[in-house]
Amino acid sequence: MSPRPYHSGKRQAAADETRQRILAAARTLLSGASAHQVSVDAVAKAADVSRQTVYNAFGSKSGLLEALFDTLAARAGMDVQEAFAAPDAATALTRFTEAFCRFWDSDRTVIRRLRGMAVLDRDLDRLLRERDEMRRSALTELLRRFTDAPEPETVDIIWQLTGFEAYDALAGRDTPRAHAEATRTVTAAVTVLYDAATAGGSTPRTRR
Amino acid sequence: MSPRPYHSGKRQAAADETRQRILAAARTLLSGASAHQVSVDAVAKAADVSRQTVYNAFGSKSGLLEALFDTLAARAGMDVQEAFAAPDAATALTRFTEAFCRFWDSDRTVIRRLRGMAVLDRDLDRLLRERDEMRRSALTELLRRFTDAPEPETVDIIWQLTGFEAYDALAGRDTPRAHAEATRTVTAAVTVLYDAATAGGSTPRTRR
DNA sequence: AAATCATTAGACAGACAGTAAATCCAAAAA
DNA sequence: TTTTTGGATTTACTGTCTGTCTAATGATTT
């Protein structure tokens, strides 16, 4: 699995493996239907590990949730890199949007719950805001490649439309619309807004 | 204030007043900056009332939060009624959208926190879903007045765009965009989608 | 004057986050 | 082999929060 051998031998490897097992257990519990109130104790039991081990590995419940989110986000990061290699703005924007739609969809329930928990968890809230800011920076840089001066408003709107809430809302809850359809809708909106912003007017205008 | 006198005299009136005071205290606490972990005890203290009184009045913490949301939503209900009196579809949709944007904006922080708490609170979650469904029904009925057969997809998309998450995302968090601007953006998107859906194509299409 | 009822204070059980100390055991180092 | 190290476990404790119960108070209602 891992490309380089652990420098400290089996012991470190075993520790890393329990860490992964705990993360996997947390992910499973959070994606389950009865995920209301996921306690550290429940995660520990699911990972077949003592509660203390969870604290040894992640410090706190917040730390565990933060690590879980970053684990999920790791894959998405690579996809975004590819968007920068696009030949033109439209393609780059589309790839960028699709990368995030794919990410949001990959663990939709887990991400939704993590974002909900962030409302009551200062640390987790800070991390998610940081990650959202990273998306904004990436978007700003991406637009700067093709546009002279990307206006803050344009960046803001596209930033929000490529966020989790927008995707989650468009993909539906109880009656889930297909991933492809939601992605298409978001992409279309992003494209329209970008066109409107670059073609003369600075802000998307309301009809009439 | 209230049009009809309480049939049970002062005692009932006093009880109703404490109920209101508790709701007001909860609203204040939830809208405050340090609203992480709002306990029943904190609400009781803020309302200058014993903890038990809160349970007498609302049954549980969930009951209190549900009552709070419905209190906030009460005003919005009337605005939606007016949308039905519009002369044409475009006006009706605009009024409908604006009514909800106004509502979402009226207590944005409180609503955001309530929706976050709903992730961990089955009862509150059920209530919010019910209210969201009511918005969907209202929208379906509204479209039925002007269109022969409003397609489910069209209703779904407009429904999601008039939801809290979409407004909250577009109005921004740390750097809040003006209410008017966010409302304009949502309204424009709704209008565009409705036009696209009624003019031939059944689904909004992606460019190219 | 007597019954009613909202309210209060205080105690209690149960769930959960987080901390601390003693112990076990396999892997690393001597 | 023997010793040391460090991850994991067990147990127990503190503190917070929800929810329930009981006894008492005091104003309103009858």
Side-chain angles (χ1 to χ4, degrees):
Chain A
M1 259 303 187
S2 57
R4 57 179 174 80
Y6 296 105
H7 68 287
S8 305
K10 286 185 187 175
R11 198 135 65 182
Q12 183 93 16
D16 275 21
E17 196 248 311
T18 46
R19 219 183 127 91
Q20 293 305 318
R21 219 167 59 236
I22 294 170
L23 284 175
R27 179 170 169 274
T28 302
L29 283 184
L30 278 173
S31 66
S34 60
H36 296 271
Q37 65 176 25
V38 172
S39 65
V40 173
D41 195 62
V43 174
K45 277 190 172 61
D48 197 36
V49 139
S50 80
R51 203 159 57 92
Q52 194 59 233
T53 301
V54 178
Y55 283 102
N56 285 345
F58 299 100
S60 65
K61 188 178 186 181
S62 301
L64 169 61
L65 299 178
E66 291 176 21
L68 176 57
F69 182 84
D70 276 352
T71 297
L72 300 179
R75 277 175 299 174
M78 311 188 189
D79 291 355
V80 174
Q81 298 291 348
E82 296 178 13
F84 281 85
D88 60 296
T91 310
L93 260 184
T94 301
R95 286 194 191 161
F96 180 89
T97 306
E98 286 174 350
F100 277 102
C101 285
R102 219 175 301 128
F103 170 44
W104 303 135
D105 193 73
S106 64
D107 283 279
R108 201 140 78 91
T109 310
V110 177
I111 294 175
R112 191 188 306 128
R113 293 208 165 109
L114 285 177
R115 291 190 95 94
M117 291 178 183
V119 173
L120 305 170
D121 186 323
R122 302 190 103 90
D123 295 330
L124 184 58
D125 189 64
R126 194 177 311 120
L127 181 103
L128 293 186
R129 282 175 196 269
E130 276 175 23
R131 295 298 175 268
D132 282 344
E133 279 303 324
M134 283 171 64
R135 189 179 78 250
R136 186 192 213 142
S137 312
L139 180 62
T140 304
E141 195 189 334
L142 192 71
L143 289 181
R144 201 163 280 164
R145 295 220 173 170
F146 304 100
T147 316
D148 293 321
E151 305 183 22
E153 292 181 353
T154 306
V155 178
D156 268 10
I157 294 186
I158 297 183
W159 179 55
Q160 299 293 357
L161 280 178
T162 53
F164 176 74
E165 281 75 16
Y167 178 83
D168 193 42
L170 283 171
R173 270 208 170 195
D174 287 353
T175 311
R177 293 156 49 78
H179 165 63
E181 198 171 348
T183 304
R184 205 186 315 138
T185 307
V186 175
T187 308
V190 168
T191 304
V192 167
L193 286 167
Y194 178 74
D195 285 353
T198 51
S202 61
T203 327
R205 285 153 308 207
T206 318
R207 239 189 18 152
R208 184 174 177 273
Chain B
M1 258 302 188
S2 56
R4 58 179 173 76
Y6 296 107
H7 69 289
S8 304
K10 283 187 190 175
R11 197 137 63 183
Q12 184 90 17
D16 274 21
E17 196 249 308
T18 47
R19 220 183 126 90
Q20 294 306 317
R21 216 167 60 237
I22 294 170
L23 284 175
R27 179 171 170 274
T28 303
L29 282 185
L30 277 173
S31 65
S34 60
H36 296 272
Q37 65 176 27
V38 172
S39 66
V40 174
D41 196 63
V43 173
K45 278 189 171 62
D48 198 34
V49 140
S50 80
R51 204 160 56 93
Q52 189 59 41
T53 300
V54 178
Y55 282 101
N56 285 346
F58 299 100
S60 65
K61 188 179 184 179
S62 301
L64 169 62
L65 298 178
E66 291 176 20
L68 176 58
F69 182 83
D70 275 354
T71 297
L72 299 179
R75 276 174 299 174
M78 311 185 187
D79 291 356
V80 174
Q81 298 291 347
E82 295 178 13
F84 282 85
D88 60 295
T91 310
L93 260 184
T94 300
R95 285 194 191 162
F96 180 89
T97 305
E98 287 174 348
F100 277 103
C101 286
R102 220 176 299 127
F103 170 44
W104 302 135
D105 193 74
S106 66
D107 283 278
R108 200 141 78 92
T109 310
V110 177
I111 294 175
R112 191 187 307 130
R113 292 209 166 109
L114 286 177
R115 293 191 95 95
M117 291 178 184
V119 173
L120 306 170
D121 186 323
R122 301 190 105 88
D123 296 331
L124 184 57
D125 189 63
R126 194 179 309 120
L127 181 103
L128 293 186
R129 282 176 196 268
E130 276 175 23
R131 295 298 175 267
D132 282 343
E133 279 305 322
M134 285 172 64
R135 188 178 79 250
R136 186 191 212 142
S137 313
L139 180 61
T140 305
E141 196 189 333
L142 192 71
L143 288 181
R144 202 165 278 162
R145 296 225 170 165
F146 304 100
T147 317
D148 294 320
E151 305 182 25
E153 291 182 352
T154 307
V155 178
D156 268 10
I157 295 186
I158 298 183
W159 178 54
Q160 301 291 357
L161 280 178
T162 54
F164 175 74
E165 281 75 15
Y167 178 82
D168 194 41
L170 283 172
R173 273 207 167 193
D174 287 351
T175 311
R177 292 157 49 79
H179 165 65
E181 198 170 348
T183 304
R184 206 186 315 140
T185 307
V186 175
T187 307
V190 167
T191 304
V192 166
L193 286 166
Y194 177 74
D195 286 352
T198 51
S202 60
T203 327
R205 287 152 307 207
T206 317
R207 236 188 23 150
R208 183 172 179 275

